[in-house]
């Protein structure tokens, strides 16, 4: 006789044993210490220390925490790109600039300016999407607001996908034991094909290891680079690069990495090995010399491999730039124009050189986007960084940071428990110096680096305001304001960025903050 359910409800077909197995699996998964899937032979859980117990778990949790915080900021920024109404604070600020510019234009009777305006009108008619350098800025900003929001939205969405993948990859590599696996693979390749031994030929094995890391990183990053360049940047009219040029740049970059990076790594490891307990002092000196060396050769020998640099043609702009440099006692020796339009329609200008051999480079795109007076004002801002000591301050901070970093590394260098936590044997086999460096930067130094990076972002923003003030004091306030607005227009810069996002990420203050600061300075000057 079939059984009857008197209560009128059917029994839930729950598999209690299955649930119990899931709970036990989860408990085992979260039980400390966490260990990577791949571990070198001889690596064990015996005699666990606090470092061994927590190193891997803490690193993964910190990585996820940073991602979560930055994802929160990205969400805020993405919401700001959904705003459809033009920001009132920017409208008010740029409206004042237009009013002042109109008043100045009314009182101007310069025939050369009129002739230049005619040329610009012809150029504008041939390219309706370009910024008209003579028309009021506010209507142009308003007309490009939707495009700016769309561009920013595409970029932030892409960056969120990219960040999610990078975090997943980082955590997966740690849990799978990617570093010990790849190191053992490098040892196998070195032993089988070249007769290398990881004890006596550590530097050579390290170079094989870094080659593998570079190739893996290049392959995994390639889809993101292609999408960013040929989808997002092309969609919004910035990318000018062909597939052939992209591949050429990638090959050149890899070759330079091997040619320069190989000897650099070999020397660095040699210094650490031979430096004794005070090796960090020798490493600090080496890093200082190498950074100065790279700052010298990169603009002169490496950058010309990717772009063409031609002297700025003789004319009023060239004479004015040299006059400004002379006024500020900036030892300008060469003035170049770079074919930035070969790859992108974004614009820029930069300076480089040491001592009495200074050089200035202007992107060719910049010359078509702003007036000569605005270029001078922008260079006045850049020269302000030099005159106010910002360049030297950044160089000093970088070297100090390098010294502190390697001193801290020296304190952790012999921590075998740290290496065991990530799957290395940490006992009879020698710990590779490069592995020690990588794990140090991934664990101990990662939180410190995040804090210092944020502090440097704040420092950079302070310096930008100071350089703006320097240009204002030179009497270039109006030209700098209009120049920044036009560059912002051309680059489809964010017009209403989220405040927290911009504080955390932006090395330069938002446009409206810079404009308002310069206007306040103008008011003080008028009162005086």
């Amino acid at each position: 006789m079939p059984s009857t359910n008197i209560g009128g409800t059917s029994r839930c077909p729950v598999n209690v044993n299955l649930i119990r197995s899931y709970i036990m699996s989860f408990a085992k998964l979260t039980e400390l210490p966490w260990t990577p899937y791949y571990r070198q032979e001889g690596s064990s859980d015996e005699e666990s220390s606090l470092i061994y117990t927590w190193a891997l778990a803490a690193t993964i949790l910190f990585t996820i925490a940073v991602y979560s915080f930055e994802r929160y900021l990205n969400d805020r920024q993405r919401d700001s790109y959904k705003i459809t109404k033009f920001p009132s604070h920017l409208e008010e600020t740029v409206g004042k600039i237009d009013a002042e510019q109109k008043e100045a234009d009314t009182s101007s009777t310069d025939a050369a300016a009129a002739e230049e305006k005619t040329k610009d009108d012809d150029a504008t008619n041939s390219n309706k999407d370009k910024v008209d350098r003579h028309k009021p800025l506010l209507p142009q900003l308003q007309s490009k607001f939707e495009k700016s929001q769309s561009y920013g939205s595409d970029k932030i969405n892409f960056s969120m996908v990219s960040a999610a993948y990078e975090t997943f990859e980082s955590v997966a590599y740690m849990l799978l034991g990617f570093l010990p696996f790849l190191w053992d693979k490098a040892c196998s390749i070195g032993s089988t094909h070249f007769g290398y031994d990881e004890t006596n030929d550590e530097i050579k094995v390290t170079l094989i290891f870094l080659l593998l890391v570079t190739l893996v990183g290049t392959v995994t990053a390639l889809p993101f680079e292609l999408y960013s360049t040929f989808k997002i940047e092309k969609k919004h009219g910035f990318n000018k690069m062909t597939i052939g040029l992209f591949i050429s740049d990638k090959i050149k970059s890899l070759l330079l990495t091997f040619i320069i990076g190989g000897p650099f790594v070999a020397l660095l490891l040699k210094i650490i090995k031979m430096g004794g307990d005070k090796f960090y002092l020798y490493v600090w000196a080496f890093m200082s010399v190498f950074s100065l060396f790279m700052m010298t050769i990169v603009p002169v020998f490496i950058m010309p491999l990717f772009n063409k640099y031609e002297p700025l043609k003789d004319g009023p702009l060239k004479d004015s730039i040299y006059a400004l440099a002379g006024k500020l006692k900036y030892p300008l020796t060469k003035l170049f124009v770079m074919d930035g339009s070969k790859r992108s329609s974004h614009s820029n200008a930069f300076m480089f050189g040491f001592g009495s051999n200074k050089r200035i480079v202007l992107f060719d795109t910049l010359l078509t986007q702003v007036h000569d007076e605005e270029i001078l004002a922008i260079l006045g801002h850049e020269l302000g960084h030099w005159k106010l000591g910002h360049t030297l301050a950044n160089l000093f901070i970088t070297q100090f940071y390098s010294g502190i970093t390697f001193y801290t590394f020296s304190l952790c260098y012999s921590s075998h428990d740290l290496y065991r936590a990530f799957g290395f044997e940490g006992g009879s086999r020698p710990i590779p110096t490069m592995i020690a460096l990588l794990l140090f930067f991934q664990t101990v130094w990662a939180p410190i680096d995040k804090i210092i990076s944020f502090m440097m972002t704040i420092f950079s923003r302070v310096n930008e305001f100071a350089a703006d003030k320097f240009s204002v004091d030179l009497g270039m306030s109006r030209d700098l304001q209009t120049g920044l607005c036009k560059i912002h227009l051309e680059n489809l810069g964010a017009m209403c960025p989220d405040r927290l996002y911009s504080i955390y990420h932006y090395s330069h203050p938002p446009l409206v903050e810079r404009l308002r600061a310069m206007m306040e300075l103008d008011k003080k000057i008028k009162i005086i």
Side-chain angles (χ1 to χ4, degrees), residues 279-298:
F279 73 83
Y280 57 89
L281 294 175
Y282 304 107
V283 170
W284 173 77
F286 169 69
M287 293 295 291
S288 298
V289 172
F290 182 78
S291 63
L292 294 176
F293 169 72
M294 290 302 294
M295 288 171 64
T296 302
I297 70 164
V298 166

Side-chain angles (χ1 to χ4, degrees), residues 19 94 166 183 196 199 201 203 210-211 228-229 252 349 368 391 405-406 414 473 479 496:
I19 293 178
V94 178
E166 289 173 2
W183 178 261
Y196 295 160
T199 301
D201 302 296
I203 293 177
L210 291 178
L211 173 62
S228 175
T229 302
K252 289 178 184 177
T368 64
T391 307
T405 300
F406 281 99
S414 58
D473 291 339
D479 290 325
C496 51

Side-chain angles (χ1 to χ4, degrees), residues 125-187:
N125 290 332
S126 65
N127 192 345
K128 297 293 185 182
D129 201 43
K130 300 293 288 183
V131 174
D132 190 316
R133 299 190 295 176
H134 290 280
K135 287 184 178 179
L137 293 168
L138 181 57
Q140 298 187 76
L141 280 168
Q142 291 172 328
S143 67
K144 285 208 170 186
F145 179 65
E146 185 178 347
K147 290 183 179 180
S148 170
Q149 293 291 84
S150 175
Y151 179 50
S153 180
D154 285 347
K155 287 200 302 179
I156 197 68
N157 287 331
F158 172 76
S159 71
M160 291 170 74
V161 173
S162 177
Y165 171 76
E166 289 173 2
T167 302
F168 170 78
E169 181 186 79
S170 179
V171 172
Y173 281 179
M174 285 187 277
L175 289 175
L176 293 174
F178 178 73
L179 285 182
F181 171 78
L182 217 57
W183 178 261
D184 284 351
K185 184 64 65 175
C187 290

Side-chain angles (χ1 to χ4, degrees), residues 96 518-528:
K96 292 178 181 178
M518 283 185 274
M519 287 180 175
E520 288 299 319
L521 291 172
D522 289 338
K523 289 180 182 179
K524 292 179 181 179
I525 293 174
K526 289 178 181 179
I527 293 174
I528 295 174

Side-chain angles (χ1 to χ4, degrees), residues 241-347:
M241 187 181 293
T242 63
I243 288 289
L245 183 58
F246 178 88
I247 295 173
S248 173
D249 283 354
K250 185 62 64 177
I251 293 173
K252 289 178 184 177
S253 298
L254 287 173
L255 288 175
L256 287 169
T257 299
F258 300 145
I259 293 171
I260 298 176
F264 165 76
V265 169
L267 280 171
L268 175 64
L269 299 183
K270 198 74 173 178
I271 292 170
I272 293 175
K273 288 291 186 184
M274 299 178 62
D277 294 337
K278 304 293 183 181
F279 73 83
Y280 57 89
L281 294 175
Y282 304 107
V283 170
W284 173 77
F286 169 69
M287 293 295 291
S288 298
V289 172
F290 182 78
S291 63
L292 294 176
F293 169 72
M294 290 302 294
M295 288 171 64
T296 302
I297 70 164
V298 166
V300 178
F301 297 104
I302 295 178
M303 290 175 62
L305 296 176
F306 297 87
N307 290 95
K308 184 184 297 183
Y309 293 81
E310 295 180 344
L312 179 64
K313 294 179 180 179
D314 293 336
L317 177 59
K318 182 175 182 179
D319 295 338
S320 299
I321 293 175
Y322 273 102
L324 176 61
K327 178 182 177 181
L328 300 177
K329 296 184 167 117
Y330 181 78
L332 178 61
T333 56
K334 293 183 180 180
L335 186 55
F336 294 107
V337 176
M338 190 188 88
D339 61 338
S341 58
K342 178 181 179 181
R343 289 174 174 79
S344 172
S345 59
H346 289 299
S347 58

Side-chain angles (χ1 to χ4, degrees), residues 11 16 52 82 228 272 291 346 376 392 419 430 464 513:
R11 181 174 299 174
V16 178
Y52 176 77
K82 295 177 182 178
S228 175
I272 293 175
S291 63
H346 289 299
L376 279 176
L392 285 177
Y419 311 131
E464 291 303 318
E513 292 183 19

Side-chain angles (χ1 to χ4, degrees), residues 36 38-44 179-181 183-184 209 416 418-427 430-432 435 439:
Y38 181 89
R39 304 167 70 185
Q40 289 183 338
E41 292 184 9
S43 178
S44 66
L179 285 182
F181 171 78
W183 178 261
D184 284 351
F209 167 78
H416 291 279
L418 177 63
Y419 311 131
R420 288 198 305 122
F422 285 85
F424 289 90
E425 194 270 338
I431 295 299
I435 296 297
L439 291 181

